[in-house]
Amino acid sequence: MEDFYTGKMLGSYYVLVYDLRTGRLVHEAQTGKPPADASSQTQGAAFGLGPTTALLLEPDGSVAWIARDVWSTAPGYPSYSLVPYYEVRVADGRGNLRFDAGPAIDPGSLRSQDRTLEWTDAGKTRTAPFS
């Protein structure tokens, strides 16, 4: 589940995972870390990188996603270019981890097979453990 709330005083992007049998919150993870000046852009607090473009959930509550950075464009490009920048992240027993970041990540390429996370970056398949 992705939750987005924005207003004059707050801009936040989270991935929330609940155990539907118990109602217990399993993971509450920011979709990524916003830049230090993001709070000034929202006139208040800012949490998370941006909305998810792909989301995977495992039966044990582990969750993986690709998020689009709404705060900036890809590093090395002028701010007016609007080149999108993405991050591949996981929230599981290890915490909230970033596995990849960059403008060449295919935002819809996330998949999982045999506890291995896969995505495409610059046309090449990348992998990481997904527990």
Side-chain angles (χ1 to χ4, degrees):
M1 171 185 212
E2 179 182 346
D3 179 41
F4 169 69
Y5 171 80
T6 187
K8 188 173 182 181
M9 299 306 290
L10 182 67
S12 59
Y13 296 88
Y14 284 87
V15 172
L16 304 174
V17 177
Y18 287 91
D19 182 326
L20 296 179
R21 291 173 297 217
T22 65
R24 182 179 69 88
L25 180 63
V26 177
H27 293 291
E28 179 180 1
Q30 292 184 39
T31 60
K33 185 176 179 180
D37 68 344
S39 292
S40 65
Q41 294 177 37
T42 61
Q43 299 177 341
F47 303 96
L49 188 71
T52 61
T53 61
L55 186 75
L56 291 176
L57 180 65
E58 291 289 326
D60 68 357
S62 297
V63 63
W65 65 91
I66 296 175
R68 181 167 189 235
D69 186 344
V70 298
W71 306 106
S72 58
T73 61
Y77 292 87
S79 61
Y80 59 81
S81 71
L82 301 178
V83 173
Y85 187 76
Y86 300 95
E87 287 191 4
V88 178
R89 300 189 74 91
V90 167
D92 60 13
R94 299 170 292 179
N96 183 345
L97 307 172
R98 184 178 85 169
F99 285 124
D100 196 6
I105 294 172
D106 178 342
S109 65
L110 196 62
R111 55 202 173 278
S112 174
Q113 184 173 345
D114 299 325
R115 305 302 286 175
T116 299
L117 192 62
E118 299 178 354
W119 66 94
T120 305
D121 187 351
K124 296 180 182 177
T125 299
R126 304 279 312 263
T127 62
F130 186 31
S131 54

